[in-house]
Amino acid sequence: MRLLQSFVLLSLLSLFIFVSCESQLSSYLDSDTESQTSTTTSSGTSSASSDYSVNANSSASWAYSASSPVYELSSSINSLTITGLSANQTIFLAKTNPTSSAISASKTQYISDATNLTLTTAEESSSESSGSSGSSGSSAGTFTSPGSGGPGHSHYIPVLLSDSTLKVSSSRAATSTSLDIEQINPVAGSTSKSIYIDADSSLSSYKSSTATLQAIGEYCYVWVVDDLSSDEEPSEATISTVAQKFDEMYSLIRNIFGNESDKIFYKYENSDFTRSDMENLSDTGTMINIVIYDIGDDHDNNDESGVLGYFYAKDYYPNSEHLSTLSNVSYSSSDARIYSNEGKYFYIDAYYTQNETDMMLSTLAHEFQHMIDWGVKYMDQGLSTSTEFNEMLSMLCEDLMQEYLGISDSDSPKGRLPMFEQCYTDCGLEYRSSSTYLQILSYAANYAFGSWIAREFGGASVISEMSQNEYVDTQAIVNAVNEVKGTSYSIEDLLKMYACACIIQDADSTYYTWPTFNQSTSTNSYSSNYDYPLSAINLWNLQETLSEFYEEVSESSSSAYYKFDGPELYGYNAQKDIRPYGMTLIEAGSVSSSDSQVTLTFGNTSPSSNEKVYVIVD
């Protein structure tokens, strides 16, 4: 079931094509638009005004042309007359939300009537966003996973660390100003040490287990916990492959994303942790430790946690014993740093390592990016990335490494796209964790946007820029695009183009070049032996490119959560909640006669000021 791993692993027009059409993109962003309710900051992000209802009571007209096929509808408009159309052309609506707060369905605009337009099937208005499976996003706790590598699997997202939980001891001072850490003697097959690992399926408690060093790479140590059962213990060949492939990817990934930190937090004094060279606290120095074990201690329960791997920044701090020795503070009883392994560590599940090896090789890239992000954004710049942005970067790291690892599309993050196509209205650029369904959809939604950004705006170049610039989250994305392309887009602009890329199949037009996923890109400017290729994505042909995955899903009870022939287009009068930085895509209908004029009547007389509505003609 390795093809289903794409839901488990917790993103670009080629440069030539984009340069040739950039003026067209700028043109359609600037023309045929009404007044806007948001401003663009100096960083290029959209700073929306507070949400309020607008009185939609005005009429407008638009002279459509093939060179400018997108019209931004002002929230004050309740009637739009379009001229210059031809019979059988299709009219779409894209409704986007360029803010960090959800827009309720009742405040979204919709078409109530039209002249000279054969309307698509009507959708009942809804006060809650829902996938076509019939389960609302907030209640889809019964989401099931087809196959052993199914989409119910994920990467563990550790809780945030906070120094506010440290307890100051007034009864004593630190007993030592430094530690004498003895480095391990690395001998594969015999060197062992105690390593803290999680002890339950919720990954909320820890235990110390003995692990043996089973492989030594140039940049990594591979440890295997000793008490694994025979059916989950990885073979020597698999362990060797883990070390070899990680070593091969190490420099390639750092070329794009930056370097993991060789510093570790040490003493706590003057209300902050000092930093020290890694080997002053870590017995494995600057080597990266890959620990293989039964994550969640759940193999006997059919791997119920579904977690493939994780990086936890707790290991960049002293453990409880060493903190007590060095400082006059202690951790609270719930602080995971008590169980720090003190060094560069990430963790992967033993069963999947042995039985879904391709999936786990991709996981190595995914988790290494998390370690790098911690170093580049937090330790070097004091920035905290959101879960959704960090996970997007890790999936883009997998994307860039796919060809190098020889992994099929079904085993890559591209396998997340069918869930995005069916369920995108339930998640924008955010991380939702109230159900398994929403957790997995969060990965799908953020990968979809990231994969389009990468293919539209410069491949490895834009990924590298947003990974290493001085911003986080949507601000990092916007600034990266503008830096690489010399543009001045806002997040509102990017969401507009993104929605178009999710609606229009034919990106090759004589008059207008649409934004699209369906283009490949590569660059060799970062490495002499690897071009960082990103293959084209045809959203309307996933049944073919993800054929193995399609066959499994079509026979499973979860089939309603996936779509393989393009993002779901709702009927002309559909109203859905629009999630933060999310969208709803509408197929309004087709022009019904040679009469070139269509009038759209809109039904919401008091829509949200934050909603952006675009009329698109193809």
Side-chain angles (χ1 to χ4, degrees):
M1 309 292 177
R2 69 178 192 275
L3 46 96
L4 286 165
Q5 70 84 23
S6 51
F7 293 86
V8 176
L9 302 175
L10 263 221
S11 219
L12 307 163
L13 276 175
S14 69
L15 291 175
F16 172 78
I17 294 176
F18 186 83
V19 168
S20 69
C21 70
E22 188 171 309
S23 61
Q24 296 183 30
L25 291 174
S26 299
S27 175
Y28 101 68
L29 286 172
D30 296 336
S31 63
D32 296 315
T33 59
E34 301 290 338
S35 60
Q36 314 223 344
T37 60
S38 63
T39 59
T40 301
T41 67
S42 59
S43 64
T45 61
S46 179
S47 177
S49 60
S50 58
D51 193 14
Y52 58 91
S53 296
V54 176
N55 185 15
N57 60 3
S58 302
S59 298
S61 60
W62 171 37
Y64 159 80
S65 69
S67 62
S68 185
V70 182
Y71 177 87
E72 181 175 347
L73 185 78
S74 169
S75 53
S76 65
I77 299 300
N78 69 352
S79 177
L80 175 66
T81 297
I82 310 171
T83 58
L85 299 170
S86 302
N88 300 319
Q89 284 188 291
T90 304
I91 295 179
F92 303 91
L93 293 188
K95 301 189 284 187
T96 70
N97 175 11
T99 76
S100 58
S101 299
I103 300 173
S104 67
S106 63
K107 297 185 71 175
T108 63
Q109 190 55 276
Y110 65 95
I111 296 173
S112 59
D113 197 8
T115 61
N116 197 32
L117 192 71
T118 302
L119 294 168
T120 57
T121 302
E123 293 275 346
E124 292 184 4
S125 296
S126 171
S127 62
E128 182 176 57
S129 178
S130 62
S132 64
S133 63
S135 298
S136 69
S138 60
S139 62
T142 58
F143 176 73
T144 55
S145 306
S148 62
H153 299 79
S154 64
H155 294 259
Y156 173 54
I157 309 295
V159 297
L160 297 177
L161 302 171
S162 173
D163 291 347
S164 65
T165 62
L166 292 172
K167 299 178 179 179
V168 178
S169 173
S170 58
S171 61
R172 62 168 179 79
T175 59
S176 177
T177 58
S178 63
L179 298 171
D180 184 15
I181 300 297
E182 182 179 354
Q183 300 294 292
I184 65 166
N185 178 29
V187 179
S190 63
T191 300
S192 62
K193 63 173 292 187
S194 293
I195 294 178
Y196 287 115
I197 60 174
D198 51 82
D200 58 51
S201 59
S202 64
L203 282 72
S204 59
S205 63
Y206 296 87
K207 63 183 179 182
S208 179
S209 292
T210 300
T212 300
L213 182 62
Q214 297 291 1
I216 301 172
E218 183 178 357
Y219 306 108
C220 67
Y221 293 144
V222 181
W223 303 87
V224 180
V225 170
D226 290 352
D227 60 355
L228 295 176
S229 61
S230 59
D231 65 329
E232 61 178 336
E233 185 172 4
S235 66
E236 290 184 11
T238 299
I239 295 168
S240 177
T241 298
V242 168
Q244 175 191 345
K245 291 300 183 182
F246 181 80
D247 274 358
E248 291 175 0
M249 291 189 291
Y250 179 80
S251 296
L252 296 178
I253 292 173
R254 290 181 15 141
N255 287 343
I256 303 301
F257 294 90
N259 299 340
E260 80 282 8
S261 180
D262 284 343
K263 299 291 185 179
I264 193 167
F265 291 118
Y266 198 59
K267 301 176 187 177
Y268 189 80
E269 53 189 10
N270 299 321
S271 300
D272 199 4
F273 276 98
T274 63
R275 303 182 189 203
S276 181
D277 292 337
M278 186 69 69
E279 51 272 339
N280 289 335
L281 190 57
S282 174
D283 62 1
T284 57
T286 59
M287 294 291 281
I288 291 174
N289 298 277
I290 302 170
V291 184
I292 303 175
Y293 69 105
D294 178 14
I295 293 180
D297 195 23
D298 61 355
H299 182 58
D300 290 340
N301 294 321
N302 298 315
D303 300 287
E304 63 183 359
S305 73
V307 174
L308 294 180
Y310 63 94
F311 160 77
Y312 201 164
K314 70 177 179 64
D315 296 318
Y316 266 80
Y317 290 83
N319 60 30
S320 184
E321 177 186 352
H322 286 159
L323 179 68
S324 177
T325 300
L326 290 166
S327 308
N328 66 334
V329 298
S330 61
Y331 297 119
S332 69
S333 60
S334 61
D335 197 317
R337 289 176 292 188
I338 293 173
Y339 309 103
S340 169
N341 287 309
E342 300 178 323
K344 301 179 185 180
Y345 284 80
F346 62 79
Y347 309 88
I348 59 176
D349 186 77
Y351 177 81
Y352 292 109
T353 299
Q354 178 58 32
N355 295 282
E356 300 286 350
T357 304
D358 278 356
M359 171 176 65
M360 296 309 290
L361 294 178
S362 195
T363 296
L364 298 178
H366 185 110
E367 299 307 336
F368 187 37
Q369 190 287 135
H370 285 320
M371 183 183 290
I372 290 173
D373 180 85
W374 169 260
V376 171
K377 294 292 190 181
Y378 183 76
M379 295 194 74
D380 291 351
Q381 302 186 73
L383 302 170
S384 295
T385 59
S386 67
T387 297
E388 56 268 21
F389 178 65
N390 203 340
E391 293 301 326
M392 184 195 77
L393 291 179
S394 279
M395 288 182 284
L396 293 181
C397 185
E398 295 181 70
D399 211 347
L400 288 173
M401 291 296 102
Q402 179 187 346
E403 183 170 307
Y404 195 86
L405 293 172
I407 292 175
S408 70
D409 282 350
S410 291
D411 284 333
S412 79
K414 298 182 183 72
R416 299 181 181 274
L417 294 172
M419 176 172 266
F420 160 75
E421 292 196 348
Q422 183 63 71
C423 305
Y424 67 88
T425 56
D426 280 346
C427 190
L429 304 183
E430 57 184 329
Y431 180 73
R432 305 188 71 186
S433 59
S434 60
S435 70
T436 299
Y437 160 68
L438 288 175
Q439 288 174 341
I440 305 305
L441 178 59
S442 296
Y443 287 109
N446 286 287
Y447 171 69
F449 183 74
S451 66
W452 171 74
I453 286 287
R455 285 161 176 80
E456 187 74 58
F457 295 112
S461 298
V462 75
I463 295 173
S464 181
E465 181 64 28
M466 61 185 167
S467 299
Q468 300 189 58
N469 65 20
E470 58 186 281
Y471 306 98
V472 295
D473 307 338
T474 57
Q475 191 176 13
I477 298 170
V478 169
N479 278 269
V481 169
N482 290 334
E483 177 66 25
V484 170
K485 304 308 298 183
T487 52
S488 56
Y489 296 138
S490 66
I491 188 62
E492 182 179 316
D493 297 329
L494 295 180
L495 287 172
K496 176 182 179 179
M497 288 184 275
Y498 177 55
C500 288
C502 291
I503 288 176
I504 304 301
Q505 297 185 45
D506 184 7
D508 183 16
S509 170
T510 303
Y511 302 101
Y512 183 83
T513 302
W514 293 94
T516 183
F517 289 73
N518 196 15
Q519 54 196 320
S520 61
T521 183
S522 65
T523 176
N524 60 6
S525 59
Y526 294 93
S527 173
S528 60
N529 61 351
Y530 188 59
D531 290 339
Y532 297 97
L534 293 171
S535 60
I537 296 173
N538 186 342
L539 293 179
W540 291 267
N541 193 32
L542 294 181
Q543 181 175 337
E544 179 177 332
T545 58
L546 303 174
S547 57
E548 297 173 62
F549 178 54
Y550 173 78
E551 289 177 8
E552 287 192 48
V553 164
S554 62
E555 297 174 357
S556 77
S557 60
S558 296
S559 59
Y561 289 90
Y562 311 107
K563 193 172 183 290
F564 293 80
D565 57 354
E568 179 75 8
L569 301 179
Y570 293 92
Y572 70 94
N573 63 347
Q575 289 181 281
K576 305 277 185 182
D577 290 350
I578 309 181
R579 297 297 308 172
Y581 306 108
M583 63 185 178
T584 303
L585 308 176
I586 304 292
E587 183 177 338
S590 59
V591 179
S592 54
S593 72
S594 58
D595 182 354
S596 64
Q597 180 171 299
V598 167
T599 298
L600 305 177
T601 302
F602 298 96
N604 196 333
T605 58
S606 54
S608 165
S609 62
N610 284 342
E611 179 190 32
K612 301 302 173 186
V613 181
Y614 306 100
V615 181
I616 302 165
V617 177
D618 182 39

